[in-house]
Amino acid sequence: MESDDHIKNLGKLIASLQSFELLIRVHLSSRPNNVNSQNKDDIYTLPVGAKVIESDITNFKNLCELIKEFNKEAEFEKRDEIDLQIIRVRDALAHGRVFTREKKFPLRLIKFSKPRSGNVHIDYSEEMSEMWFKNQIRLVNKAIKIVLNVTNHN
């Protein structure tokens, strides 16, 4: 893998994760009986510092909370659930470190735990190979399809 391939694959994965998070938020906001589902504010035109109503789109829930909320609903309705492995990948990308022993690709993504008694554990360690990127993008795309299936059938 060359640096251009790494950059393209990383961009695809991050864009897929961002699309997935927005899609799951849109789905959760469209549920019946959702008081704040119809946020009247045009967030595209509001300046930084503007106040908007808290909703499933604007709240501060993390991806884990959103997926668990979706999966709770999915379990009740007997439909496909989203693989929680997505959270590990997303968190590793957001909070991990990228290492290499030599100046070549693929790189290694390592995420450490919060410190306890002066020590940390390695929570995640994967070589960011072409196959790794394909598998992670496939995982996210599968989750996107699960949400789209529910959204399109409601």
Side-chain angles (χ1 to χ4, degrees):
M1 177 187 302
E2 299 297 322
S3 63
D4 286 350
D5 298 323
H6 178 87
I7 292 165
K8 287 176 189 173
N9 284 322
L10 184 58
K12 285 179 191 176
L13 179 54
I14 290 171
S16 294
L17 285 163
Q18 290 174 329
S19 296
F20 167 66
E21 181 171 343
L22 181 59
L23 185 60
I24 197 168
R25 286 180 177 282
V26 167
H27 167 74
L28 293 172
S29 75
S30 68
R31 296 174 294 181
N33 305 325
N34 189 337
V35 178
N36 292 327
S37 66
Q38 301 302 319
N39 197 329
K40 305 288 188 276
D41 297 313
D42 181 1
I43 59 174
Y44 288 102
T45 60
L46 293 175
V48 172
K51 290 183 183 178
V52 296
I53 296 171
E54 183 179 10
S55 68
D56 285 311
I57 301 292
T58 62
N59 67 30
F60 211 70
K61 288 181 182 176
N62 63 43
L63 187 57
C64 183
E65 293 171 301
L66 297 171
I67 292 173
K68 286 182 177 179
E69 194 171 332
F70 181 92
N71 283 349
K72 183 178 174 185
E73 204 178 271
E75 183 181 9
F76 178 76
E77 295 177 4
K78 307 262 189 279
R79 53 182 164 74
D80 290 339
E81 295 182 23
I82 295 167
D83 189 338
L84 293 174
Q85 179 68 21
I86 289 176
I87 297 161
R88 292 188 70 233
V89 173
R90 184 259 168 224
D91 286 355
L93 287 168
H95 306 291
R97 320 295 193 270
V98 178
F99 293 90
T100 184
R101 288 191 173 153
E102 302 170 18
K103 292 184 179 182
K104 66 178 193 171
F105 290 86
L107 306 177
R108 180 163 288 273
L109 176 61
I110 301 175
K111 181 181 173 283
F112 301 98
S113 67
K114 290 182 180 177
R116 289 197 180 101
S117 304
N119 294 303
V120 296
H121 292 95
I122 294 176
D123 282 344
Y124 191 93
S125 179
E126 293 287 338
E127 187 175 85
M128 300 169 78
S129 65
E130 189 78 36
M131 186 55 67
W132 180 84
F133 277 114
K134 284 181 182 177
N135 288 339
Q136 304 323 305
I137 292 167
R138 188 178 302 123
L139 179 70
V140 178
N141 286 342
K142 180 179 178 187
I144 287 171
K145 286 178 185 170
I146 289 171
V147 178
L148 284 174
N149 276 342
V150 174
T151 303
N152 292 336
H153 287 102
N154 285 343

